Amino acid sequence: MIESVVQFAQVLLMVVGCLFFGIGTLGLFRFSDTLCRIHALTKIDNLGLGFIALALLPFAPSTASALKVVLIWLVALAASATSAHLVARAVRSGNTASVGREDRNG
């Protein structure tokens, strides 16, 4: 009984995580401004990755493996926030050569 509840929770967390990834990708394609696109990707995709990491934790064969999954999620959070900050700083300073065409005009 407990195993079926855990499996249902894992499937639900995986589906929710994938749904968040899909919503983040939709935001990347639908938003016109680079800052809005980055906001959609960093917030929604990190939440989706968190749900997927939570779903994977019961599958971990040991505590060390579970800690590695959590560490991967934390590193992804830090990398996402850092890269979003750097891109936002480039957009704000006017250095948009590699960011996108739509931001050059305003």
Side-chain angles (χ1 to χ4, degrees), residues 1-10 58:
M1 177 68 181
I2 299 281
E3 292 176 11
S4 62
V5 171
V6 170
Q7 286 179 348
F8 177 74
Q10 287 176 319

PDB file of all heavy atoms in Angstrom, residues 1-10 58:
ATOM      1  N   MET A   1       0.814  -1.196   0.000  1.00  0.00           N
ATOM      2  CA  MET A   1       0.000   0.000   0.000  1.00  0.00           C
ATOM      3  C   MET A   1       0.858   1.261   0.000  1.00  0.00           C
ATOM      4  O   MET A   1       0.613   2.173  -0.765  1.00  0.00           O
ATOM      5  CB  MET A   1      -0.912  -0.041   1.238  1.00  0.00           C
ATOM      6  CG  MET A   1      -1.761   1.167   1.415  1.00  0.00           C
ATOM      7  SD  MET A   1      -2.985   1.274   0.130  1.00  0.00           S
ATOM      8  CE  MET A   1      -3.783   2.758   0.572  1.00  0.00           C
ATOM      9  N   ILE A   2       1.875   1.297   0.873  1.00  0.00           N
ATOM     10  CA  ILE A   2       2.756   2.463   0.953  1.00  0.00           C
ATOM     11  C   ILE A   2       3.533   2.622  -0.351  1.00  0.00           C
ATOM     12  O   ILE A   2       3.718   3.744  -0.823  1.00  0.00           O
ATOM     13  CB  ILE A   2       3.732   2.315   2.142  1.00  0.00           C
ATOM     14  CG1 ILE A   2       2.977   2.216   3.455  1.00  0.00           C
ATOM     15  CG2 ILE A   2       4.731   3.443   2.178  1.00  0.00           C
ATOM     16  CD1 ILE A   2       2.485   3.511   4.004  1.00  0.00           C
ATOM     17  N   GLU A   3       3.974   1.503  -0.921  1.00  0.00           N
ATOM     18  CA  GLU A   3       4.751   1.571  -2.170  1.00  0.00           C
ATOM     19  C   GLU A   3       3.924   2.144  -3.304  1.00  0.00           C
ATOM     20  O   GLU A   3       4.446   2.916  -4.125  1.00  0.00           O
ATOM     21  CB  GLU A   3       5.267   0.188  -2.537  1.00  0.00           C
ATOM     22  CG  GLU A   3       6.304  -0.340  -1.588  1.00  0.00           C
ATOM     23  CD  GLU A   3       6.726  -1.755  -1.941  1.00  0.00           C
ATOM     24  OE1 GLU A   3       6.354  -2.231  -3.033  1.00  0.00           O
ATOM     25  OE2 GLU A   3       7.423  -2.366  -1.134  1.00  0.00           O
ATOM     26  N   SER A   4       2.658   1.811  -3.372  1.00  0.00           N
ATOM     27  CA  SER A   4       1.820   2.343  -4.446  1.00  0.00           C
ATOM     28  C   SER A   4       1.583   3.840  -4.263  1.00  0.00           C
ATOM     29  O   SER A   4       1.506   4.582  -5.245  1.00  0.00           O
ATOM     30  CB  SER A   4       0.494   1.587  -4.518  1.00  0.00           C
ATOM     31  OG  SER A   4      -0.236   1.759  -3.315  1.00  0.00           O
ATOM     32  N   VAL A   5       1.488   4.300  -3.021  1.00  0.00           N
ATOM     33  CA  VAL A   5       1.324   5.733  -2.765  1.00  0.00           C
ATOM     34  C   VAL A   5       2.596   6.480  -3.154  1.00  0.00           C
ATOM     35  O   VAL A   5       2.542   7.549  -3.774  1.00  0.00           O
ATOM     36  CB  VAL A   5       0.958   5.977  -1.276  1.00  0.00           C
ATOM     37  CG1 VAL A   5       1.000   7.461  -0.949  1.00  0.00           C
ATOM     38  CG2 VAL A   5      -0.392   5.400  -0.961  1.00  0.00           C
ATOM     39  N   VAL A   6       3.750   5.903  -2.829  1.00  0.00           N
ATOM     40  CA  VAL A   6       5.034   6.528  -3.185  1.00  0.00           C
ATOM     41  C   VAL A   6       5.186   6.567  -4.705  1.00  0.00           C
ATOM     42  O   VAL A   6       5.605   7.587  -5.275  1.00  0.00           O
ATOM     43  CB  VAL A   6       6.207   5.783  -2.522  1.00  0.00           C
ATOM     44  CG1 VAL A   6       7.533   6.261  -3.076  1.00  0.00           C
ATOM     45  CG2 VAL A   6       6.171   5.970  -1.023  1.00  0.00           C
ATOM     46  N   GLN A   7       4.830   5.490  -5.384  1.00  0.00           N
ATOM     47  CA  GLN A   7       4.932   5.480  -6.844  1.00  0.00           C
ATOM     48  C   GLN A   7       3.987   6.484  -7.476  1.00  0.00           C
ATOM     49  O   GLN A   7       4.344   7.159  -8.443  1.00  0.00           O
ATOM     50  CB  GLN A   7       4.656   4.078  -7.373  1.00  0.00           C
ATOM     51  CG  GLN A   7       5.785   3.115  -7.138  1.00  0.00           C
ATOM     52  CD  GLN A   7       5.468   1.723  -7.666  1.00  0.00           C
ATOM     53  OE1 GLN A   7       4.334   1.415  -8.014  1.00  0.00           O
ATOM     54  NE2 GLN A   7       6.492   0.884  -7.721  1.00  0.00           N
ATOM     55  N   PHE A   8       2.777   6.602  -6.940  1.00  0.00           N
ATOM     56  CA  PHE A   8       1.835   7.594  -7.458  1.00  0.00           C
ATOM     57  C   PHE A   8       2.380   9.007  -7.257  1.00  0.00           C
ATOM     58  O   PHE A   8       2.278   9.851  -8.152  1.00  0.00           O
ATOM     59  CB  PHE A   8       0.473   7.451  -6.776  1.00  0.00           C
ATOM     60  CG  PHE A   8      -0.516   8.490  -7.206  1.00  0.00           C
ATOM     61  CD1 PHE A   8      -1.110   8.422  -8.457  1.00  0.00           C
ATOM     62  CD2 PHE A   8      -0.834   9.556  -6.382  1.00  0.00           C
ATOM     63  CE1 PHE A   8      -2.022   9.383  -8.873  1.00  0.00           C
ATOM     64  CE2 PHE A   8      -1.734  10.528  -6.781  1.00  0.00           C
ATOM     65  CZ  PHE A   8      -2.328  10.441  -8.033  1.00  0.00           C
ATOM     66  N   ALA A   9       2.959   9.261  -6.089  1.00  0.00           N
ATOM     67  CA  ALA A   9       3.535  10.587  -5.820  1.00  0.00           C
ATOM     68  C   ALA A   9       4.701  10.868  -6.758  1.00  0.00           C
ATOM     69  O   ALA A   9       4.852  12.000  -7.247  1.00  0.00           O
ATOM     70  CB  ALA A   9       3.984  10.684  -4.369  1.00  0.00           C
ATOM     71  N   GLN A  10       5.517   9.859  -7.038  1.00  0.00           N
ATOM     72  CA  GLN A  10       6.645  10.047  -7.959  1.00  0.00           C
ATOM     73  C   GLN A  10       6.161  10.369  -9.363  1.00  0.00           C
ATOM     74  O   GLN A  10       6.682  11.281 -10.017  1.00  0.00           O
ATOM     75  CB  GLN A  10       7.512   8.795  -7.990  1.00  0.00           C
ATOM     76  CG  GLN A  10       8.340   8.603  -6.756  1.00  0.00           C
ATOM     77  CD  GLN A  10       9.111   7.302  -6.796  1.00  0.00           C
ATOM     78  OE1 GLN A  10       8.594   6.273  -7.226  1.00  0.00           O
ATOM     79  NE2 GLN A  10      10.342   7.345  -6.334  1.00  0.00           N
ATOM     80  N   PRO A  58      13.262   9.010  -4.020  1.00  0.00           N
ATOM     81  CA  PRO A  58      12.982   7.649  -3.514  1.00  0.00           C
ATOM     82  C   PRO A  58      13.656   6.536  -4.320  1.00  0.00           C
ATOM     83  O   PRO A  58      13.828   5.431  -3.823  1.00  0.00           O
ATOM     84  CB  PRO A  58      11.455   7.524  -3.611  1.00  0.00           C
ATOM     85  CG  PRO A  58      10.971   8.920  -3.569  1.00  0.00           C
ATOM     86  CD  PRO A  58      12.016   9.719  -4.286  1.00  0.00           C
TER      87      PRO A  58
END
